[in-house]
């Protein structure tokens, strides 16, 4: 694990099911995350993924890569273009800095509209995995 | 323009909410539990073995989920946050979208942990125009605890905004026509700009008044203005915007060739080309079915 290391991209099909299931699993019942008609009344073309799901996917992307012993310390994300059903989000990431067993990973998620999410994840790895 | 903020009275009121509590000793509706962890992992396709089995921990990114009010909300939420949202709703900022989430995890949450949370309104931004609409970013900072010990922090930013799809254009305000100025507006309807003239002393006056400022005489007749004039003074309106107008635009005090002055718009030239002394000529511009107004165009002399 070194600064500059790139994580392999992860493609997430943004299905209606993922958006609704993610919203409900995160206890978010805002209508824009499950009701297309009410979403349209609020000026958006369709339902869109809630921020908690995006946050969870960013965390998953990093732990998928570093393995089950990796521990998330911080996840900071900013949302841009919404994730609507039928789109695909591609997560990419690179190690921005390392300090002992801790890495700061820069993550970007792009979809058909542009950048859905940019974020920074701080993750700690157990000692034996931190030093290759 | 720096004056923007000065006019934002709502923004100033919202700013006063900074530092006030949004939730005091909130209690998670469910203790951390394996069912909700599994549902989360299923939804997000997260197969990390750390989240299953007898030593399972919760995915750290579930932090906020343990504090959510679900369909029925939380009782006992501090009034300040509802009050803040209420003010925004009342101002037309009825839509909300989350924009930022910053979480720090101090220790993993395990099944059985009962979370409490304390939330403070950390910051309310100045009014911002965004692609979605104009509104305010509201940042809250939540501290999550188990048995009184901090286990994580959660900073959350939402944009509370008035959706951008524009309402049908508001018509320009109607003139107030009364007994004293009805003759002026009859003239406008005939595309004639009429100046009042005192029949006692001959003094011209505008705007129309029931009596003469020079001699007090009540009787009058009219003179039709030639339409020639110059800009005596002007202001450029940038802010605040009024629904019927597209700022910036120039509001000018026009000195007519006859010597009286009237407030009008200078049209047909960029607002920043309007100058004191600019020669102008009267035109009647039709704004809608029912409204035609005397305005002035710049002329080259
Ligand atoms: Zn007079």
């Amino acid at each position: 694990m070194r600064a500059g290391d790139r994580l392999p991209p992860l493609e997430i099909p943004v299905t209606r099911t993922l958006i609704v299931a993610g919203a409900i699993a995160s206890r978010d019942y805002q209508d824009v995350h499950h009701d297309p008609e009410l979403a349209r009344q609020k000026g958006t073309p369709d339902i869109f993924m809630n921020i908690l799901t995006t946050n969870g996917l960013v965390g998953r992307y990093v732990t998928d890569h570093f393995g089950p012993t990796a521990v998330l310390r911080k996840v900071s994300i900013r949302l841009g273009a919404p994730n609507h059903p039928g789109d695909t989000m591609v997560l990419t990431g690179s190690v921005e800095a390392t300090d002992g067993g801790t890495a700061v990973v820069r993550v970007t998620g792009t979809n058909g509209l542009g950048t859905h999410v940019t974020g920074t994840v701080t993750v700690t790895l157990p000692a034996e995995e931190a030093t290759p | 323009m720096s004056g923007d903020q000065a006019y934002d009275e709502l923004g100033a009121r919202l700013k006063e909410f900074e530092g006030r509590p949004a939730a005091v000793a909130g209690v998670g509706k469910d203790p951390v539990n394996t069912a909700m962890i599994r549902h989360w992992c299923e939804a997000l396709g997260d197969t990390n073995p750390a989240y299953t089995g007898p030593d399972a921990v919760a995915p750290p990114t579930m932090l906020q989920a343990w504090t959510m009010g679900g369909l029925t909300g939380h009782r006992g939420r501090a009034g300040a946050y509802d009050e803040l949202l209420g003010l925004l709703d009342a101002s037309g900022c009825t839509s909300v979208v989350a924009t930022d989430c910053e979480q720090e995890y101090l220790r993993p949450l395990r099944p059985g942990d009962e979370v409490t949370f304390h939330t403070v309104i950390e910051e309310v931004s100045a009014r911002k125009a965004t692609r979605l609409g104009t509104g305010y970013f509201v940042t809250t900072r939540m501290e999550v605890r188990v048995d009184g010990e901090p286990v994580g922090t959660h900073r959350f930013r939402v944009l509370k905004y008035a959706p951008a799809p524009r309402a049908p254009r508001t018509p320009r305000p109607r003139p107030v026509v009364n007994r004293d100025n009805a003759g002026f507006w009859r003239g406008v309807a005939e595309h004639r700009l009429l100046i009042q003239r005192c029949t006692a002393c001959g003094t011209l006056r505008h705007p129309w008044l029931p009596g003469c400022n020079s001699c007090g005489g009540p009787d009058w007749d009219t003179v039709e203005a030639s339409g020639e004039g110059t800009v005596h003074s002007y202001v450029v309106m940038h802010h605040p915007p009024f629904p019927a107008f597209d700022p910036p635009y120039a509001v000018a005090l026009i000195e007519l060739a006859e010597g009286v002055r009237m407030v009008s718009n200078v049209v047909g030239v960029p607002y920043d080309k309007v100058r004191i002394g600019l020669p102008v000529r009267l035109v009647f511009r039709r704004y809608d079915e029912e409204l035609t107004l005397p305005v002035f165009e710049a002329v080259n002399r």
Side-chain angles (χ1 to χ4, degrees), chain B residues 198-203 205 212-217 219:
Chain B
C198 173
T199 50
C201 74
T203 303
R205 62 176 187 261
C212 175
N213 275 338
S214 294
C215 72
D219 299 321

Side-chain angles (χ1 to χ4, degrees), chain A residues 18 21-22 25-30 51-53 55-57 59-60 63-64 68 72-79, chain B residues 29 36 39-40 43-46 48-50 60-61 64-65 68 70-71 98-105 156-157:
Chain A
L18 171 60
S26 57
R27 307 273 296 143
D28 183 347
Y29 292 90
Q30 301 244 20
I51 193 168
L52 291 88
T53 301
N55 200 47
L57 291 171
R60 174 195 147 191
T63 51
D64 274 2
L72 298 176
R73 301 297 180 186
K74 293 181 194 173
V75 176
S76 298
I77 61 167
R78 167 161 295 183
L79 294 192
Chain B
K29 286 193 157 182
M36 284 172 64
H39 297 168
W40 171 280
L44 272 59
D46 197 331
N48 190 335
T61 51
Q64 186 185 2
M68 295 290 278
L71 275 173
T99 60
D100 295 81
C101 174
E102 300 169 23
Q103 298 183 333
E104 183 167 11
Y105 316 110
F156 201 62
R157 187 167 300 124

Side-chain angles (χ1 to χ4, degrees), chain B residues 55 64 67 76 91 95 151 173 179 183-184 208 214 221 223 226 230-232 282-283 299:
Chain B
D55 296 323
Q64 186 185 2
T67 70
S91 77
S95 292
V151 295
R179 198 173 58 180
F184 173 79
W208 283 38
S214 294
D221 61 6
V223 175
S226 67
T230 54
V231 172
H232 178 76
L282 172 70
V283 290
V299 290

